[in-house]
Amino acid sequence: MTQPEILMPALMPGSIVDALEARFTLHRLWEQPDPDAFLAGAAPHIRGVAANTLAGRIDTNWFDRLPALEIVASFGVGYDNVDARAAAARGIVVTNTPGVLDDEVADLTIGLLLATLRGIPQADRFVREGRWPEGPFPLSPTLRGRTVGIIGLGAIGKAVARRLEGFDVPVAYHGRSRQPDIPYTYHPTPVALAAAVDVLIAIVPGGDATRHLIDRDVLAALGPQGVLINVARGSVVDQPALIAALKEGTILAAGLDVFADEPHVPSELRVMPRVVLLPHIGSASERTRAAMGALVVDNLVAWFDTGRPISPVPECDRLP
């Protein structure tokens, strides 16, 4: 029996490559000297795509070129790199990798929050640069006495909230609707949440629906002692408005794992003393990335073995 043909547009972890090659005919598009010419010949036979954000946006341009495409297996819980609605309209299933990275991202979020409030990276540089003998490191802000607001109380947001309970701080949230049986205070708008808290954590999906959800008005409501933590997508925050808010003292500090134009980070952010910057590493541990890769493979295997993927995205969960 002929193996299904899978396209991998951009380099993915070796464990995914090896596992897919063991089960399918895998086409590594990034290795082709003329990708367009290669794709023109292979496209009619490609039934699946394994993609990450390095592949760019998988949308109607791809769907038009791949007439036999049945499934796009996306590496990551966020899937704004795939036009899932357009895929579903054509009967193409899109999958992502939820669940396996919730704890890792939640752990990183708490670490980024503490690093931002207590100036941990700055204190490390203070010691490394030999400045300690000149005098003590400046006193930092604290988590004590603060209320933390979470925008996006999904699986990762709930994991963050559970960890915050251990720090004995009040938690509030905003989402599309109030969730039953949730003990945290709900606020109907991002502005209302920001006005009620001292720390604002963004952990919502990217895409048009959440673009610039955190804007100038939200930052103004957060206030001069407020701290923003973004572990969602760079598009969720109006980055120029954030830079202005930090420069003008509209908010106190920010911890950012994501940016508007990754991997390019504005120089204004890189030189600000009360900003902690990370290179989008929320789920970037060996263990978690391996689990994410395994779920990409398992979705493709399940689809071609049974016709039912393991973790279809909501736009596609009604497809066969």
Side-chain angles (χ1 to χ4, degrees):
M1 181 179 295
T2 303
Q3 292 180 317
E5 297 188 28
I6 305 296
L7 179 70
M8 187 177 288
L11 177 65
M12 296 179 75
S15 60
I16 300 179
V17 175
D18 292 344
L20 291 179
E21 286 189 325
R23 294 294 303 266
F24 305 102
T25 298
L26 181 66
H27 299 295
R28 308 184 193 191
L29 187 61
W30 77 92
E31 292 183 347
Q32 301 301 321
D34 188 340
D36 287 333
F38 173 82
L39 197 57
H45 312 291
I46 291 171
R47 299 172 60 192
V49 169
N52 56 14
T53 55
L54 295 176
R57 185 159 173 78
I58 307 296
D59 55 17
T60 54
N61 292 324
W62 282 97
F63 305 151
D64 288 342
R65 300 177 73 181
L66 303 174
L69 185 62
E70 302 172 24
I71 181 171
V72 177
S74 184
F75 181 79
V77 65
Y79 54 95
D80 45 308
N81 58 310
V82 182
D83 190 338
R85 292 187 183 279
R90 299 186 184 212
I92 300 168
V93 173
V94 178
T95 66
N96 63 341
T97 61
V100 295
L101 49 70
D102 295 353
D103 287 333
E104 202 74 75
V105 176
D107 290 348
L108 187 282
T109 302
I110 298 300
L112 181 56
L113 170 59
L114 294 176
T116 302
L117 278 169
R118 298 300 309 275
I120 293 173
Q122 295 88 334
D124 176 84
R125 289 196 297 272
F126 183 82
V127 174
R128 291 177 187 275
E129 293 169 0
R131 296 164 55 196
W132 194 3
E134 301 170 6
F137 185 71
L139 299 179
S140 73
T142 180
L143 183 58
R144 298 301 95 212
R146 290 180 177 267
T147 298
V148 180
I150 301 174
I151 293 187
L153 201 70
I156 298 175
K158 289 183 176 70
V160 172
R162 290 194 299 271
R163 285 156 175 77
L164 288 167
E165 290 177 3
F167 287 88
D168 196 27
V169 295
V171 175
Y173 75 101
H174 165 73
R176 286 173 294 184
S177 60
R178 186 191 304 268
Q179 298 188 37
D181 303 322
I182 293 295
Y184 317 122
T185 302
Y186 174 74
H187 294 274
T189 67
V191 169
L193 176 63
V197 303
D198 311 282
V199 174
L200 191 62
I201 297 175
I203 184 61
V204 294
D208 293 340
T210 59
R211 179 173 175 78
H212 293 181
L213 186 66
I214 298 174
D215 58 12
R216 180 178 60 183
D217 293 341
V218 173
L219 295 169
L222 187 56
Q225 293 302 309
V227 175
L228 173 68
I229 303 296
N230 188 8
V231 288
R233 284 289 190 265
S235 61
V236 170
V237 175
D238 182 339
Q239 191 165 274
L242 172 61
I243 292 171
L246 289 163
K247 283 182 176 179
E248 297 164 8
T250 303
I251 66 171
L252 178 66
L256 309 172
D257 185 43
V258 290
F259 305 90
D261 183 25
E262 297 174 8
H264 307 290
V265 178
S267 59
E268 296 99 322
L269 288 174
R270 287 188 274 117
V271 299
M272 287 180 176
R274 289 193 179 274
V275 177
V276 176
L277 309 172
L278 302 180
H280 201 154
I281 58 170
S283 64
S285 73
E286 294 177 356
R287 180 179 184 273
T288 294
R289 288 292 171 87
M292 292 165 62
L295 187 50
V296 168
V297 174
D298 289 346
N299 269 301
L300 289 165
V301 170
W303 174 256
F304 288 108
D305 281 357
T306 71
R308 294 188 176 277
I310 296 171
S311 54
V313 303
E315 293 87 341
C316 302
D317 63 2
R318 294 185 180 274
L319 295 176

